[in-house]
Amino acid sequence: MPKRKVGALEKVDADLANLQSKIRRDPRSYRDEFNGQYSQYATQRDIYMQAPGSVNSSGIVSLRDLIDFISHVADCYKDVTTSFPEDLMQLLRLHHAELEPELREKIVGSLVLLKRKDIVDSSTLLHTLFPILITTPSKSLRALLFQKILSDLRTSNSKTTNHKLNRTIQTVLYNLLTADRTSSKGLWAVKITRELWKRQIWTDSKAVEIMKEASLADNEKVIMGGVRFFLGGDKEREELDDESSDEEDVDIGKIKHQVGINKKSKKKVKQLDKAVATIKKKERKKKQPHPLNFSALHLLHDPQGFAETLFSKHLQNPKSKLNLEQKLLTLQLVSRLVGLHKLTIISLYSYFIKYLTPRQPSVTSFLASLAQATHTLVPPDVLEPLVQKIANEFVSEAAASEVASAGLNAIREICVRQPLAMNDTLLQDLVLYRKSKDKGVMMAAKGLLGLYREVGAELLRKRDRGKVAAMGVQSGERKERRFGEEEVGRIEGLELLDAWKKEERRKKRVEEGLPAEGGTDDEAAQAAEGDEDENWNAWDVEEDKSDDSGGWINVDSSDELDIDIASDSDADGPVIKKAKLSTTEAPPSTLAQTRILTPADLSKLQELRLAASLSSTLPKSHPPPRALHHPETPLLPTDLTALSTLHARPTKLSKLALAAAGKSENRLTHQSIQARRQLKKQEQGKSSTNQEKARKKNFLMTLGKARGKKRRSLTEQRRVLRGHVERKRRGGRRGNVGM
């Protein structure tokens, strides 16, 4: 075979690669060779700088290969390559439009490599690449620079947060948005900030301020980028966390089983090592403290001013260039700000009136936005005309069932957040739709009825209140909440923990042989611990008995009132009834005020909450009303129209689509039950049984065994049968009898 001829260019490439490896091993011995290559690079660079339009392809060593070579060994000769990074930056800054794509990509990659070698700092690199990103017309160069900027910021914040670099870049992006609000260059600031927010690299208020300025810009694309960030940026971050956790799920038992059963190879061992490393990494993540990931809407400095400016500039302004879809997104952001922070923008509610008609496109989005913008501090006089308009336009006998269902659901969502927006005449009229033949309308009306049985039973007729609500109104337990009245803050489920502790103490006393109800000695001992309110009362009594000072005893005014009523009355019936009703009212738990909750208490509290939530899902005679949406959870238009599809009879196409959706990808074709079981075993990494393997064997492989059975003598056959009987009596080969 003749020897292959090697071209000159291949020899030079080989020589550069060989020289690079030799310089890595011994930089001092190859200093002269490097100086020669560096002088050649300087000559090629000067020629290119003089005539940037001409492509130098006649030289043996191209400028691209020399740049790649010098950037890899620049850290070995820092005294010679002091001006090398600046030359590359100048070449890229001045002639990025004329450079050939491969040379341009090599220069950018070399600058990133020099940054990894700590020859160029991150701030200098980003200040070089970012101006080119927002000015270059090349789409490929923009994609490359965007990727390099993001990767550099991620690398700089991988070990610890680089606050200095983050502040510098955030200031650059902020100034880019505020300098020219009509320019589309601010879109790059939106893209960079949103990507870093999604990857939890930037989680501070400075990043939120950048997106706030983007939402207040004059360019439509920049505005929508900022608005979509506030509406869906946190959801993207959660989805990215879920995807990363799903990718790391490794079945280490399956891999160990495969390594132990199958033929051992380096590939299987590497897979096992990689799985073990992944498991250890997940365990380290579990031990790390959970980061405080605040929502972007919570990190706004001035939500009231931001919501007012956003509403007046993009919605109320007649010169706004936003279309209907863009205005809807902006309206959703304003309504979420108002509902979450309980802001007051009175002109917002009058803005909704002209859109509350069934003929309006995307009317369910307007209804959902109106419900989101409602909270307990909105004046009822402002909401009453809106509720009346929805009832008149949507809820009537002539309206379609979908329209009536959406209107009733919208009214209910508004009244959940502000029950005072409803008057008794309109409520009693709407409640009558619970007798509608349409299932969606009937369920929507029942939902409104169930809501006001809880929050405003006085507005209902007596026959519509129900047993529990009527008893609550009669006893005074259920009262209509006044405007601006807020519930007292408390720890959810604390009364469950208090009851559980009391039950545990009672069981402990029974085990020790003491009475279930504590005596005086036990009360004194428990009063020292300060566990229960009764123990505090017992301690006060003992203190009063031992007190010889003869001082004044403070008596509560409510106790004094009870004593006077009891002494003046002759035990009349109504008084006794009132006393019974007052004693049934359970006092709030004071456990958090009398003791510090330990981590064990908090874990038990979480367990009791879970048990209570599970028990609440069981069917009851009086189920509680549907829970209110969390302020951070957006109210979607589909939530208002979900019930309207219940009455629709499914068609054949919808049934087929539903059946196809329930099948997995492997079941698109017909398979037997045995085949599906076998496939499931293979996916789990399990092997088949010996019987299954024997059925799949070639006939010629089993022919010898069949012939051997025919050639057995009577003595051999007797020995085999006796062995079979003996094994059966013994319980198999392993003797499993009695196990």
Side-chain angles (χ1 to χ4, degrees):
M1 182 177 180
K3 186 176 181 181
R4 186 177 70 89
K5 294 182 179 181
V6 181
L9 189 59
E10 294 180 0
K11 288 183 178 180
V12 172
D13 290 342
D15 290 340
L16 281 177
N18 190 19
L19 180 60
Q20 179 180 333
S21 62
K22 289 179 179 179
I23 289 175
R24 279 291 176 196
R25 289 196 297 267
D26 190 3
R28 294 183 180 180
S29 302
Y30 295 93
R31 189 179 185 87
D32 296 336
E33 286 81 353
F34 176 78
N35 289 334
Q37 297 292 339
Y38 191 79
S39 61
Q40 195 171 1
Y41 150 75
T43 305
Q44 295 284 341
R45 184 203 65 214
D46 294 339
I47 294 173
Y48 197 89
M49 292 291 287
Q50 292 177 1
S54 62
V55 180
N56 188 7
S57 58
S58 60
I60 300 176
V61 180
S62 66
L63 181 61
R64 183 179 67 253
D65 299 329
L66 285 171
I67 290 175
D68 187 25
F69 165 72
I70 296 172
S71 62
H72 277 86
V73 296
D75 55 333
C76 299
Y77 306 102
K78 293 183 179 181
D79 54 342
V80 182
T81 60
T82 51
S83 61
F84 178 68
E86 186 61 33
D87 294 340
L88 294 182
M89 293 178 189
Q90 185 181 6
L91 183 63
L92 186 64
R93 195 181 301 116
L94 297 177
H95 305 290
H96 61 85
E98 295 85 4
L99 290 172
E100 60 174 350
E102 294 182 359
L103 178 59
R104 189 169 55 193
E105 184 178 352
K106 183 60 68 177
I107 292 175
V108 175
S110 300
L111 287 173
V112 175
L113 181 61
L114 292 175
K115 183 262 172 185
R116 292 178 183 173
K117 295 178 180 294
D118 295 330
I119 299 176
V120 180
D121 59 337
S122 296
S123 180
T124 305
L125 176 64
L126 295 176
H127 277 88
T128 303
L129 299 182
F130 189 73
I132 302 173
L133 172 66
I134 62 178
T135 56
T136 180
S138 175
K139 187 176 181 180
S140 59
L141 181 59
R142 288 199 302 264
L144 176 65
L145 294 177
F146 181 70
Q147 179 186 0
K148 296 298 182 183
I149 289 173
L150 287 180
S151 62
D152 183 67
L153 287 171
R154 290 178 61 187
T155 306
S156 302
N157 292 274
S158 58
K159 295 182 180 178
T160 56
T161 304
N162 193 342
H163 294 285
K164 184 178 179 181
L165 178 63
N166 293 340
R167 286 288 180 266
T168 303
I169 302 303
Q170 287 171 353
T171 305
V172 172
L173 300 180
Y174 186 86
N175 294 335
L176 178 65
L177 286 167
T178 55
D180 187 6
R181 294 186 178 274
T182 58
S183 176
S184 61
K185 295 179 181 179
L187 192 61
W188 291 107
V190 173
K191 289 182 178 180
I192 292 174
T193 306
R194 185 164 187 172
E195 188 68 24
L196 294 175
W197 178 272
K198 182 174 71 173
R199 299 187 179 277
Q200 300 187 19
I201 299 173
W202 287 357
T203 56
D204 55 352
S205 60
K206 187 69 175 177
V208 178
E209 288 298 316
I210 294 173
M211 305 306 289
K212 173 185 172 182
E213 293 297 328
S215 302
L216 299 176
D218 295 330
N219 186 277
E220 292 83 359
K221 293 183 179 179
V222 179
I223 293 171
M224 287 301 101
V227 170
R228 285 192 173 95
F229 168 77
F230 285 108
L231 292 177
D234 300 316
K235 187 177 180 180
E236 289 180 354
R237 186 167 60 178
E238 295 173 0
E239 290 176 354
L240 185 65
D241 289 342
D242 296 339
E243 289 177 3
S244 60
S245 60
D246 292 341
E247 290 175 358
E248 292 181 356
D249 289 341
V250 178
D251 190 358
I252 191 170
K254 174 182 175 181
I255 298 177
K256 280 185 176 181
H257 177 75
Q258 291 178 349
V259 171
I261 299 299
N262 301 335
K263 181 180 178 181
K264 294 183 179 180
S265 62
K266 291 183 179 180
K267 181 181 178 182
K268 295 294 183 183
V269 175
K270 286 182 180 179
Q271 287 181 354
L272 181 60
D273 295 340
K274 186 178 180 181
V276 172
T278 305
I279 295 297
K280 290 182 178 179
K281 183 179 178 182
K282 290 177 66 177
E283 292 297 327
R284 287 196 302 269
K285 281 186 177 181
K286 289 180 181 178
K287 295 179 181 179
Q288 291 178 355
H290 190 274
L292 297 176
N293 294 329
F294 291 101
S295 172
L297 298 175
H298 285 96
L299 295 177
L300 287 167
H301 287 309
D302 184 16
Q304 177 73 34
F306 176 49
E308 289 179 353
T309 308
L310 201 64
F311 176 65
S312 61
K313 186 173 184 179
H314 299 317
L315 296 177
Q316 274 189 327
N317 187 11
K319 297 182 180 179
S320 178
K321 298 180 182 179
L322 301 181
N323 55 28
L324 180 61
E325 183 182 356
Q326 294 170 344
K327 284 187 177 181
L328 273 174
L329 291 175
T330 309
L331 184 61
Q332 288 176 13
L333 175 57
V334 174
S335 62
R336 286 191 64 184
L337 285 170
V338 171
L340 178 62
H341 295 282
K342 294 189 176 181
L343 309 178
T344 303
I345 305 178
I346 301 299
S347 57
L348 173 64
Y349 303 98
S350 60
Y351 175 81
F352 281 101
I353 292 182
K354 61 181 178 181
Y355 297 105
L356 298 180
T357 172
R359 294 175 295 277
Q360 171 66 37
S362 304
V363 66
T364 52
S365 299
F366 285 102
L367 293 173
S369 299
L370 174 58
Q372 281 188 131
T374 307
H375 53 84
T376 55
L377 300 182
V378 179
D381 299 339
V382 177
L383 293 175
E384 280 185 7
L386 295 171
V387 175
Q388 189 70 44
K389 178 75 179 297
I390 296 173
N392 294 337
E393 293 285 343
F394 290 83
V395 187
S396 65
E397 295 292 341
S401 59
E402 294 85 356
V403 176
S405 175
L408 287 170
N409 286 328
I411 292 174
R412 184 190 183 280
E413 292 295 339
I414 294 172
C415 295
V416 162
R417 293 160 173 82
Q418 179 53 285
L420 300 177
M422 179 68 68
N423 56 64
D424 53 352
T425 305
L426 180 60
L427 177 61
Q428 294 170 9
D429 186 20
L430 295 177
V431 163
L432 296 177
Y433 283 91
R434 71 183 187 277
K435 299 180 181 179
S436 174
K437 295 181 179 180
D438 185 80
K439 193 171 183 180
V441 177
M442 179 262 295
M443 292 185 67
K446 284 187 175 180
L448 185 63
L449 175 62
L451 169 67
Y452 272 93
R453 283 178 175 176
E454 294 290 330
V455 299
E458 297 87 354
L459 300 178
L460 295 169
R461 296 189 183 94
K462 290 185 178 181
R463 62 185 179 186
D464 295 333
R465 293 176 183 177
K467 180 181 177 181
V468 179
M471 292 176 63
V473 171
Q474 185 178 1
S475 62
E477 294 179 0
R478 297 194 179 187
K479 296 180 180 179
E480 187 177 5
R481 190 179 299 174
R482 294 177 295 178
F483 175 68
E485 184 180 356
E486 297 287 343
E487 291 184 357
V488 179
R490 60 186 182 87
I491 301 176
E492 183 182 357
L494 190 62
E495 60 278 0
L496 300 175
L497 181 63
D498 195 5
W500 178 80
K501 283 183 173 293
K502 290 179 181 179
E503 183 65 20
E504 290 296 319
R505 283 194 291 269
R506 189 188 66 80
K507 290 180 181 178
K508 188 175 181 180
R509 292 175 57 81
V510 172
E511 291 177 357
E512 294 176 355
L514 299 174
E517 300 296 333
T520 56
D521 297 334
D522 297 317
E523 289 177 356
Q526 291 179 355
E529 298 177 358
D531 287 338
E532 300 176 5
D533 293 338
E534 295 177 2
N535 302 328
W536 286 106
N537 295 332
W539 178 78
D540 291 336
V541 171
E542 291 180 1
E543 185 182 17
D544 294 337
K545 288 181 180 180
S546 61
D547 189 6
D548 298 332
S549 61
W552 291 95
I553 299 176
N554 294 326
V555 180
D556 193 7
S557 60
S558 61
D559 295 338
E560 185 179 358
L561 183 63
D562 292 340
I563 293 171
D564 293 338
I565 292 174
S567 60
D568 295 339
S569 62
D570 297 329
D572 294 336
V575 176
I576 297 174
K577 186 176 182 181
K578 184 177 291 187
K580 286 183 179 180
L581 289 173
S582 62
T583 54
T584 56
E585 189 174 346
S589 176
T590 59
L591 184 62
Q593 302 173 6
T594 57
R595 69 183 302 139
I596 298 175
L597 299 180
T598 62
D601 293 337
L602 296 176
S603 62
K604 188 63 182 179
L605 178 61
Q606 182 67 21
E607 180 183 346
L608 293 173
R609 282 178 188 167
L610 180 61
S613 62
L614 291 176
S615 61
S616 64
T617 58
L618 297 177
K620 297 179 181 179
S621 57
H622 298 284
R626 186 175 136 206
L628 172 66
H629 281 80
H630 195 272
E632 296 184 20
T633 305
L635 179 64
L636 302 177
T638 54
D639 297 335
L640 304 179
T641 58
L643 297 177
S644 61
T645 58
L646 293 177
H647 76 286
R649 190 173 182 178
T651 60
K652 184 177 180 180
L653 293 177
S654 62
K655 289 181 180 180
L656 292 175
L658 187 63
K663 292 183 178 180
S664 61
E665 296 180 358
N666 298 325
R667 289 197 58 189
L668 295 179
T669 58
H670 176 71
Q671 289 180 337
S672 63
I673 298 177
Q674 193 68 21
R676 290 202 298 270
R677 288 178 181 173
Q678 188 69 21
L679 185 61
K680 187 177 180 181
K681 274 188 175 182
Q682 292 178 2
E683 291 176 353
Q684 295 175 354
K686 296 181 180 179
S687 179
S688 56
T689 61
N690 291 334
Q691 294 180 355
E692 293 173 347
K693 291 176 181 176
R695 283 198 296 267
K696 293 182 179 180
K697 273 188 177 181
N698 191 1
F699 175 71
L700 296 176
M701 298 175 66
T702 60
L703 192 59
K705 187 175 182 180
R707 287 177 179 174
K709 286 185 177 181
K710 290 182 179 180
R711 295 175 183 174
R712 288 176 184 170
S713 63
L714 294 176
T715 306
E716 292 174 349
Q717 186 73 12
R718 183 180 58 185
R719 186 174 68 249
V720 170
L721 292 176
R722 283 182 177 177
H724 176 70
V725 173
E726 182 65 22
R727 282 196 303 273
K728 188 175 181 181
R729 183 187 61 81
R730 197 169 60 241
R733 293 180 183 273
R734 299 180 181 178
N736 295 325
V737 175
M739 292 184 64

